[in-house]
Structure formats: C-alpha cells, structure tokens
C-alpha cells in the first residue's frame, strides 16, 4: 500500500533546471529518510541526495552544489531542485524512502539533458 510517485522529469537543455517531486502515500506517515538516486546507462545506481526527518542533508560530492534536496514532512514529499544541468546528468532518477529498516522505491523518472 506504500507508494512513492515521482513527477517533474523530462527533457531539458544543458544549463537548464528541473525540479523533481516525490510524493509518498500509504500507511507510513513519515519516512526516516528520503532520498534521490539516479542510474545512467551502463552504470550502477548512485546516491544523489538524502534528507532525514530531522533536517540533515547529504549530497554526492560530484554534483558540486548544483542540486538541492528539500523535504516537506507535512506533505510527505521530497523535492530535488536541479540547476545547471549537464548532459552527464542524464539518467533515470529514483525516489527512495526508508522506514524502520524497510526500503521503498519509486518507479523512476527519466531526466534527459540534451540540445
């Protein structure tokens, strides 16, 4: 019954911006941690950013501050603001929620950065 639904992906030109949203629904009122991962063709899934319920934030160093994760606990929604996008950011982006040791994944949304 727990579902994570992503939105906001699509095609964007290099240097552009996108904001991804992930809304959680179901029996879990609040995840301990919500995060964004991405998986590019031929590569393993990697952490992009994570946010705990207490406000801690963690980012992949390679993003160099271009991405920002935010969380609305009341709405059980996590966002990923992506700025100055590069072609190498092209990947399927996944939302992940963690609750008491259980992991839940969204279906993934495609982000393509291309001219």
């Amino acid at each position: 019954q727990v579902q994570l639904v992503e939105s906001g992906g699509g095609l964007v030109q290099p240097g552009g911006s996108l904001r991804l949203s992930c809304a959680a629904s179901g029996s879990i009122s609040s995840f301990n941690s919500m995060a964004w991962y991405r998986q590019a063709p031929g590569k393993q899934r990697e952490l992009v950013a994570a946010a705990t319920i207490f406000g801690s934030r963690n980012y992949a160093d390679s993003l160099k501050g271009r991405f920002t994760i935010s969380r609305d606990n009341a709405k059980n929604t996590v966002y990923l603001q992506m700025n100055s996008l590069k072609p190498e950011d092209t990947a399927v982006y996944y939302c992940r929620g963690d609750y008491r040791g259980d992991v839940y994944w969204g279906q993934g949304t495609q982000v393509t950065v291309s001219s």
Side-chain angles (χ1 to χ4, degrees), residues 3-93:
Q3 294 185 356
L4 300 174
V5 180
E6 298 125 322
S7 62
L11 176 65
V12 65
Q13 296 185 24
S17 299
L18 283 175
R19 190 174 84 150
L20 305 182
S21 299
C22 174
S25 63
S27 60
I28 299 177
S29 59
S30 182
F31 289 92
N32 300 106
S33 177
M34 300 189 74
W36 289 97
Y37 285 71
R38 70 184 184 184
Q39 187 168 20
K43 301 181 67 176
Q44 292 187 337
R45 190 173 300 184
E46 64 178 356
L47 174 68
V48 175
T52 71
I53 193 172
F54 299 109
S56 298
R57 303 289 184 268
N58 179 257
Y59 298 92
D61 291 337
S62 61
L63 297 180
K64 300 180 180 180
R66 295 183 296 112
F67 290 9
T68 302
I69 189 171
S70 60
R71 180 173 176 173
D72 188 331
N73 292 325
K75 297 181 180 179
N76 219 0
T77 301
V78 65
Y79 307 91
L80 183 68
Q81 179 67 45
M82 305 184 294
N83 299 324
S84 302
L85 285 164
K86 305 174 181 179
E88 51 264 41
D89 294 320
T90 296
V92 178
Y93 284 71

